[in-house]
Amino acid sequence: MFYIRADGNEKIGMGHVMRCLTIAEALGRLGEEVLFLTADEKPVMLIKERGFSVKVLYVRYDDMEAELPQTAKLLAENREAEKPKILVDSYFITPYYLEQLRMSAKVILMDDEKRAVYPCDGLVNYNIYGKTLEYEKDYPAWTKLFLGCAYMPLREQFRNCNYAVREKAEHVLFTTGGSDSLHIARCMVKRLLQKEKESIQNPVWHIVCGPYHPDTEELERLAAGHVTLQIHKNVTCMSELMQECDIAVSAAGSTFYELCSIGIPTVGFYFVENQRRNMETFAKLTPIKNAGDFSAAPESVLDFVEEEVEVLCREKTLREEISQIMKTIVDGRGADRLAKGLLSVS
């Protein structure tokens, strides 16, 4: 049995659960049985829909130490000849939590930020900046490290995508990731409607609303009757929607890597701290433009987005150049590499 500890809700989005589901599927292909542990019931339906069992701990997702007694008991009850392995994916872990967990299991940590040096048997940072954070310098030799985009756990639908840049750019994808606490999509849609009133020619904008998007109903109302606005709710095959588009505007989360695997010319922005480093590194190492921090300067970010989309719509050669470079970032096989690596942690 391989355990995965992850949460998802309207405040933290579904990114942790989604990437862990992809890892779980890769583990399943290797014959491993996987059990998810969650703080509450909010991500349960999604996990079960993907075919995995879930144990709800009924604790606060942001107070992980409180769950230690029952988590340790669960791990001990299912222990065989050696300690079980557990992958922990949360920004609310503490050194004490991991130390206690390691008494019952081999602990592998999903780490995006390197806020501290944590006690763990394995560590994953698949981000584009993962190899730059000097983990080898700070972690003991017995902590197995999985660093860089080679371990990016993309879903199966992002393998072997055959995308080619089209002559005309007529469709733009817009996504804020799993949540949109700052109502960014709503701000963007209102701008687009104003341009429509001014008789400015627009491509069709495809606005993606995840399960915890706060403005889905309002966005549907605003878009009603406007052919240049399409609202997409709870998209199950994102790769298909992406491949229908010529340009993407995206928050700098895991969606960036999905866009890279296909090669959709992208303009990025960020609105929380854990996206900032990702955005800044992509802007440094790739042609993806950084529109900036929406939480600090919303109007400036949207101005930048509109200007860059207009440039990309005009310049096919530029779109082709960006697409080719983006495709070199990830190859869509990171989940399988990572699953094999996790099982090797001892």
Side-chain angles (χ1 to χ4, degrees):
M1 178 76 74
F2 193 103
Y3 296 87
I4 295 180
R5 177 68 186 87
D7 294 311
N9 57 47
E10 65 279 4
K11 291 185 178 179
I12 62 173
M14 294 302 291
H16 298 283
V17 171
M18 291 299 292
R19 65 185 180 183
C20 285
L21 281 167
T22 300
I23 297 167
E25 288 171 345
L27 287 166
R29 290 192 290 273
L30 296 174
E32 196 73 18
E33 185 179 356
V34 178
L35 176 65
F36 276 80
L37 308 179
T38 66
D40 53 46
E41 295 179 340
K42 291 185 177 179
V44 166
M45 183 178 296
L46 175 62
I47 294 169
K48 287 185 174 180
E49 285 175 351
R50 297 278 284 271
F52 295 100
S53 300
V54 191
K55 169 71 175 177
V56 180
L57 301 173
Y58 295 104
V59 292
R60 282 175 46 184
Y61 72 92
D62 57 355
D63 183 12
M64 298 190 73
E65 291 184 9
E67 75 189 43
L68 279 168
Q70 60 174 313
T71 304
K73 182 181 178 183
L74 178 68
L75 293 169
E77 288 173 350
N78 292 281
R79 181 171 177 174
E80 298 177 355
E82 58 184 31
K83 286 182 179 180
K85 296 181 178 69
I86 182 168
L87 176 66
V88 180
D89 188 355
S90 171
Y91 292 150
F92 298 98
I93 52 99
T94 64
Y96 178 78
Y97 173 84
L98 295 175
E99 286 169 0
Q100 294 300 302
L101 209 58
R102 289 189 69 236
M103 296 174 68
S104 305
K106 293 291 183 180
V107 177
I108 303 144
L109 178 65
M110 294 288 283
D111 183 45
D112 293 327
E113 299 180 342
K114 201 188 177 191
R115 290 181 289 183
V117 176
Y118 293 106
C120 57
D121 301 284
L123 181 143
V124 182
N125 187 334
Y126 58 72
N127 290 288
I128 193 170
Y129 54 81
K131 292 183 177 181
T132 71
L133 299 182
E134 298 186 323
Y135 284 98
E136 296 92 341
K137 177 182 175 182
D138 297 320
Y139 274 81
W142 48 261
T143 299
K144 199 157 190 176
L145 302 174
F146 306 95
L147 307 176
C149 295
Y151 296 104
M152 172 66 207
L154 290 180
R155 290 171 283 174
E156 279 282 296
Q157 61 185 267
F158 291 99
R159 283 192 183 194
N160 304 318
C161 295
N162 187 21
Y163 177 82
V165 171
R166 288 174 279 266
E167 192 66 35
K168 292 183 66 176
E170 299 178 313
H171 297 270
V172 178
L173 181 80
F174 187 93
T175 174
T176 61
S179 61
D180 189 0
S181 58
L182 298 182
H183 312 284
I184 304 167
R186 185 176 66 188
C187 295
M188 189 75 244
V189 165
K190 288 183 175 180
R191 276 184 166 237
L192 295 171
L193 290 173
Q194 184 60 43
K195 288 181 73 173
E196 191 174 75
K197 285 181 182 179
E198 296 168 358
S199 300
I200 298 174
Q201 187 174 3
N202 247 352
V204 177
W205 285 68
H206 299 263
I207 313 297
V208 178
C209 296
Y212 294 119
H213 202 289
D215 302 321
T216 302
E217 291 184 2
E218 183 178 0
L219 290 170
E220 288 181 315
R221 179 182 60 78
L222 289 169
H226 298 275
V227 295
T228 59
L229 285 171
Q230 293 189 23
I231 309 301
H232 300 266
K233 297 189 297 184
N234 302 326
V235 179
T236 56
C237 192
M238 183 63 78
S239 67
E240 287 186 3
L241 177 57
M242 287 180 175
Q243 290 178 81
E244 292 172 4
C245 295
D246 305 292
I247 298 164
V249 178
S250 175
S254 58
T255 305
F256 258 36
Y257 299 95
E258 296 172 348
L259 292 164
C260 283
S261 73
I262 299 173
I264 316 294
T266 298
V267 180
F269 62 91
Y270 61 98
F271 59 96
V272 290
E273 180 59 24
N274 63 6
Q275 296 173 346
R276 178 188 59 79
R277 183 179 280 151
N278 214 32
M279 182 70 261
E280 290 177 350
T281 308
F282 264 98
K284 181 179 179 181
L285 300 180
T286 79
I288 293 176
K289 293 293 183 69
N290 179 4
D293 182 0
F294 185 90
S295 66
E299 294 303 314
S300 173
V301 168
L302 296 184
D303 285 342
F304 188 98
V305 164
E306 288 190 87
E307 290 168 7
E308 286 301 316
V309 167
E310 288 177 8
V311 170
L312 288 170
C313 282
R314 291 195 305 266
E315 299 188 22
K316 181 191 176 188
T317 300
L318 177 59
R319 296 199 308 276
E320 289 174 331
E321 291 173 358
I322 295 172
S323 177
Q324 289 304 313
I325 294 173
M326 289 176 67
K327 288 177 181 179
T328 67
I329 303 298
V330 289
D331 65 4
R333 292 174 173 78
D336 288 334
R337 287 192 198 96
L338 184 54
K340 289 177 184 177
L342 298 185
L343 293 179
S344 74
V345 171
S346 59

